[in-house]
Amino acid sequence: MAQNVSREGARPDDPAAIGRRVLRLRGERGLTQKQLAEPAYTPAYVSTLESGKVRPSEAALRHLAERLGVSYEELATGRPAHLAAGLRLRLTDARRALATGAPEDAAALFHTLHEEAVEHGLAQEQADALLGLGDCLLEAGELTAARDRFAAAERLLADEPLPRRVPAVRGRATAHLLTGELRYACYLLESTLDELDAAGLHDPEALLLLYTASIAPYMDMGAHARAAHAAELALALAPRVDDPALVAGMHRGVARTLIAEGRIAEADASLAKAQELYRQLHIRTELAHCHWMRGYVHAQDGDLERAESELRTAHDILAAKRAALFAEQVEVELADVLRRRGKTGEAEALLRPLLTPGADEGGAGALGAGRGAVHAGGAHRLLGLIAEERGDTERAEEHYCAALSLLERSSAVGDLADLCRLLGDLLRRTGRVEAAMDAYRTGLGHRAAPGTTTLGPAPATPPM
């Protein structure tokens, strides 16, 4: 069970803590024990209470609070009047700072608020501050630390109804997704959906958050039918949700399934809706994600000039916010468009630093296993294609094998199948037919029937 404790380690509602507060406040007001006790209690009772030897009843605390001129809550918990409401307002300000500015600046605000919430034993506000810190760390690309903050928030809310814990679960799943652990991200989201259904807790916001979050790992794993079903459920839930940011996230997630189905115009329209909502809310990171996905839509449709423009806009927003990991992932997709436009040198110049340890000032900027694994595999794939185009088959093979190692660990089925085809074609052209056959077989082994996954039964569909 979560415990509300002060910075010194004592619960603020312990008899000893309450007794110290009564003694301090009585002294500040110049009251004797008799003056404080009358007319309902005795000086001996106040003395026993101040020494921490008795837990006062609610009635006694309300009497003492009135005599001392403080609120019941402040005397019972040590929290100044309206502290929780003030903290919640400042948490909203910190969220706004994360939406519009750099993650490390917002993280400093969330850290301060978390310390204050701990000091005053406010578990809900502690959890909200931890969720904010987790989101800041996700943007900064510090995925292990982000996952730890989300897990800590979940532990704090262990006694709360499950819908209250869903944002923490979503955060953990996103951290696992970004490290390349697609299967475990799906497991977290699906098991939570099943738990909500079993408990009859069909909270629209919680369900929308989980279904929207599940679309990306489903798509990366090749589970297109399951992703499409999650998108349909998210669309059905949206009219029952008042939070515009959640609805915008739903539109962005649904666009991925529309792209996979070749419904490019509908995908672009869905992204335009999300983009407008994020613009109105001044949520810069999510707005960048919309530009990012619109760039992907245009690339799929063959409009490379518009794709490059959208991806550069996304990158500029993310770079300005210092959202390092997301900016690096956009650079991989931008490099793909640049290569297809014949700007091979520019594409290569973008890709090489992304795979070099210590590429940023903190020394952790390289994409790879545990940090943007799917995009790291994509970067190696592109460098392999560039090497092939130059006739350097040895270097191309090195990059394809590096990509294969990363993608096999992440279960990115579609990317794996494509990579095995590229590697097989290269091996066949260089006369290694048996090795080429092995590569093709590997690709076929990863390419299961369309829309399937090895995750097991899909979560139950909630009543709509």
Side-chain angles (χ1 to χ4, degrees):
M1 179 180 292
Q3 298 283 321
N4 294 344
V5 296
S6 71
R7 187 174 289 162
E8 290 76 23
R11 287 174 58 94
D13 58 351
D14 278 349
I18 294 172
R20 287 193 296 272
R21 279 196 293 278
V22 172
L23 177 61
R24 174 177 57 79
L25 291 167
R26 182 173 66 78
E28 289 172 359
R29 285 151 180 74
L31 297 174
T32 64
Q33 291 178 337
K34 181 179 179 182
Q35 289 170 324
L36 180 59
E38 291 178 340
Y41 299 93
T42 64
Y45 175 74
V46 172
S47 176
T48 305
L49 189 154
E50 288 180 347
S51 66
K53 295 177 181 176
V54 64
R55 176 179 291 279
S57 65
E58 181 180 340
L61 277 177
R62 291 194 181 281
H63 165 82
L64 296 171
E66 183 179 351
R67 299 287 288 170
L68 292 166
V70 297
S71 69
Y72 165 77
E73 182 187 11
E74 183 172 352
L75 189 60
T77 67
R79 302 167 193 154
H82 311 303
L83 174 75
L87 270 174
R88 284 192 290 273
L89 282 172
R90 290 163 62 204
L91 282 164
T92 301
D93 291 340
R95 276 280 168 200
R96 191 175 298 115
L98 176 58
T100 58
E104 58 265 37
D105 297 334
L109 297 174
F110 281 119
H111 181 73
T112 298
L113 291 167
H114 178 256
E115 285 196 328
E116 290 183 30
V118 169
E119 181 177 359
H120 295 290
L122 294 166
Q124 296 279 350
E125 287 71 22
Q126 286 179 56
D128 287 341
L130 287 168
L131 288 172
L133 281 168
D135 286 333
C136 291
L137 291 163
L138 278 184
E139 286 204 15
E142 299 178 38
L143 302 179
T144 301
R147 191 176 63 225
D148 290 345
R149 298 305 186 282
F150 291 127
E154 206 173 342
R155 287 193 297 272
L156 267 173
L157 299 172
D159 296 330
E160 296 293 318
L162 181 56
R164 180 73 180 84
R165 303 199 300 274
V166 162
V169 175
R170 189 274 312 167
R172 279 206 297 138
T174 302
H176 284 289
L177 169 65
L178 290 171
T179 62
E181 298 170 282
L182 309 182
R183 194 178 306 279
Y184 190 67
C186 289
Y187 164 75
L188 282 176
L189 297 166
E190 290 189 343
S191 59
T192 306
L193 283 165
D194 280 334
E195 194 176 343
L196 282 169
D197 186 66
L201 298 169
H202 302 121
D203 180 276
E205 289 199 0
L207 290 169
L208 184 63
L209 197 60
L210 291 168
Y211 282 122
T212 300
S214 67
I215 291 171
Y218 283 157
M219 293 295 294
D220 286 342
M221 289 185 67
H224 295 161
R226 201 171 284 197
H229 184 58
E232 288 171 12
L233 293 172
L235 283 167
L237 285 161
R240 297 165 55 191
V241 171
D242 296 325
D243 185 342
L246 276 182
V247 174
M250 179 275 300
H251 282 301
R252 203 181 86 208
V254 166
R256 285 200 65 167
T257 67
L258 296 172
I259 294 166
E261 294 170 4
R263 296 156 66 182
I264 301 299
E266 292 172 71
D268 197 43
S270 190
L271 287 168
K273 291 177 187 175
Q275 207 165 323
E276 183 56 31
L277 285 167
Y278 287 134
R279 191 177 286 112
Q280 291 171 9
L281 295 166
H282 305 291
I283 302 179
R284 301 282 291 164
T285 300
E286 303 301 339
L287 179 61
H289 277 275
C290 287
H291 283 291
W292 178 357
M293 191 166 285
R294 291 189 90 174
Y296 177 76
V297 168
H298 293 313
Q300 291 292 100
D301 203 29
D303 190 343
L304 299 181
E305 186 176 350
R306 288 181 70 187
E308 180 180 343
S309 175
E310 290 283 4
L311 289 169
R312 287 193 185 280
T313 299
H315 183 267
D316 289 347
I317 294 171
L318 293 167
K321 284 188 90 275
R322 302 200 289 277
L325 178 58
F326 295 141
E328 290 161 4
Q329 291 178 325
V330 170
E331 287 175 2
V332 175
E333 300 199 20
L334 177 58
D336 182 35
V337 170
L338 291 171
R339 187 192 70 83
R340 291 167 63 189
R341 296 197 71 191
K343 303 177 183 181
T344 305
E346 196 175 340
E348 194 171 11
L350 268 180
L351 293 168
R352 291 204 177 279
L354 299 179
L355 302 172
T356 305
D360 68 357
E361 293 178 3
L367 295 173
R371 190 177 187 276
V374 173
H375 279 80
H380 278 295
R381 173 188 173 277
L382 287 170
L383 287 169
L385 286 169
I386 291 169
E388 267 205 89
E389 289 162 1
R390 289 179 177 161
D392 189 347
T393 55
E394 185 178 343
R395 182 58 58 86
E397 185 178 343
E398 288 175 6
H399 281 299
Y400 290 153
C401 289
L404 187 62
S405 173
L406 287 162
L407 295 174
E408 280 187 315
R409 278 179 270 179
S410 69
S411 305
V413 175
D415 292 341
L416 267 168
D418 175 65
L419 187 65
C420 289
R421 177 188 60 78
L422 289 171
L423 180 58
D425 289 350
L426 174 65
L427 294 168
R428 182 170 51 82
R429 283 195 300 273
T430 55
R432 288 171 285 171
V433 177
E434 283 300 320
M437 293 295 290
D438 286 341
Y440 292 140
R441 289 190 194 101
T442 300
L444 288 169
H446 286 294
R447 174 60 81 189
T452 65
T453 176
T454 56
L455 288 168
T461 300
M464 291 293 176

